[in-house]
Amino acid sequence: MNESLSLAGRHALVCGASSGIGRATALALAAHGAQVTALARSGDKLETLIPELKEAGAGGARSLKCDLSLHQSVQAALDRLVLDVGPVHILINNAGGPRGGPILDASAEEFTRAFHLHVLTAHLLTRSLLPGMVEQGFGRIVNIISTSVKEPIAGLGVSNTIRAAMAAWSKTVSKELPSGITINNVLPGFTATDRLASLKEQVAERRAIQPAQVEAEWLASVPEGRLGRPEEVAALAAFLCTPAASYIRGQSIAADGGRLNGI
Ligand code: NAD
């Protein structure tokens, strides 16, 4: 592999790695040769991922069972990981998105829970792992957020709000990180994962229409004319982690089949 795309000798921590975009990103980083630690709540799902990571080319693969909303256990898990494996060079901040629905139906508690799981967890992980990145002179932080950062999506009020907070947090962090350590946001469009399937069901039920009609309406706004595959989002996330992406910093980049309207 071209050296500027190789992640051999780099250790990546991928959050929310048991399904969807997180899982695909773990595999994409493995294909670039990284040593991958896959974090999620479900140990069973992670165990099936480990042999796939090795087969994809990972320089090592291990699972880390952890609930990202429980910050004390996250901190303890990180401390153990760094002791056992060494510093983390690549952090993928990713977790399940908040429930859909009209924003005026959302309780204050829903916003608080989502802010905690997304923004505060990313902040905790970044602060904990940054000293190791600084010591190594190399670091990559990639946040999996949403195109709603650029154009809020109707019916995803809590998500729209939290993603904007996350993007503002990330931009601010990008100004404070030292040279050699970057942070960027990947904005997936409609991507065929468990999350999208459940959103489709929720919207169909709310509007009393068929899920297929919901999907057809979504696709009418996508010039590529189909849903994205998790691997297509993961390819962008993995590229942002390579040495080749060293001058890309503080950006929000969409993999959305052309759906966003902004230039
Ligand atoms: P997904 O539901 O398939 O995967 C989410 C992953 O996060 C799973 O592995 C889940 O177990 C894990 N997770 C959730 N809560 C966790 C917790 N508390 N602790 C540890 N792990 C936890 O979702 P996805 O479609 O892959 O989406 C990933 C992110 O991208 C989400 O934030 C989602 O909202 C966002 N996104 C997805 C789409 C899409 O179309 N799929 C579009 C835009 C944005």
Side-chain angles (χ1 to χ4, degrees):
M1 179 179 294
N2 177 329
E3 218 170 273
S4 70
L5 294 176
S6 171
L7 293 175
R10 302 298 184 195
H11 177 203
L13 173 62
V14 182
C15 298
S18 63
S19 69
I21 294 164
R23 190 176 204 284
T25 301
L27 286 163
L29 291 167
H32 283 266
Q35 176 177 11
V36 177
T37 297
L39 180 153
R41 290 163 301 178
S42 157
D44 291 353
K45 282 194 194 166
L46 285 178
E47 283 318 313
T48 63
L49 175 60
I50 301 305
E52 286 184 51
L53 288 170
K54 290 181 180 156
E55 204 174 312
R62 61 158 52 205
S63 62
L64 187 59
K65 194 177 162 207
C66 185
D67 185 331
L68 291 168
S69 64
L70 305 176
H71 283 182
Q72 268 187 356
S73 46
V74 173
Q75 186 64 65
L78 291 179
D79 293 345
R80 252 192 339 268
L81 178 69
V82 171
L83 266 181
D84 292 352
V85 186
V88 170
H89 308 96
I90 295 166
L91 167 63
I92 307 294
N93 283 316
N94 173 59
R99 190 177 66 86
I103 194 164
L104 293 176
D105 289 352
S107 66
E109 210 266 327
E110 281 179 72
F111 287 94
T112 311
R113 209 178 326 126
F115 188 80
H116 179 85
L117 177 61
H118 289 269
V119 185
L120 298 186
T121 300
H123 191 61
L124 167 71
L125 290 163
T126 299
R127 277 169 48 99
S128 297
L129 300 176
L130 187 57
M133 295 179 186
V134 171
E135 205 181 281
Q136 301 290 310
F138 179 92
R140 296 284 186 267
I141 304 167
V142 173
N143 309 306
I144 310 296
I145 321 186
S146 168
T147 55
S148 64
V149 162
K150 303 214 182 228
E151 294 170 10
I153 300 170
L156 285 179
V158 177
S159 180
N160 291 339
T161 308
I162 299 308
R163 308 310 183 167
M166 186 77 190
W169 169 82
S170 174
K171 189 65 174 179
T172 314
V173 170
S174 79
K175 301 289 186 184
E176 295 184 13
L177 292 173
S179 170
I181 302 176
T182 67
I183 184 166
N184 290 289
N185 308 319
V186 165
L187 316 181
F190 295 122
T191 312
T193 66
D194 295 349
R195 154 118 178 130
L196 195 74
S198 95
L199 271 180
K200 186 165 60 179
E201 296 292 332
Q202 284 173 29
V203 174
E205 199 179 314
R206 211 166 43 240
R207 294 177 50 200
I209 59 174
Q210 289 301 313
Q213 190 181 334
V214 176
E215 183 168 323
E217 289 177 15
W218 284 347
L219 291 185
S221 66
V222 180
E224 201 55 40
R226 61 175 174 82
L227 298 180
R229 294 186 294 274
E231 303 77 48
E232 292 174 305
V233 179
L236 171 59
F239 173 73
L240 290 170
C241 296
T242 63
S246 50
Y247 209 54
I248 305 174
R249 182 175 167 128
Q251 299 304 304
S252 292
I253 306 174
D256 70 343
R259 188 172 59 85
L260 281 175
N261 293 308
I263 295 172

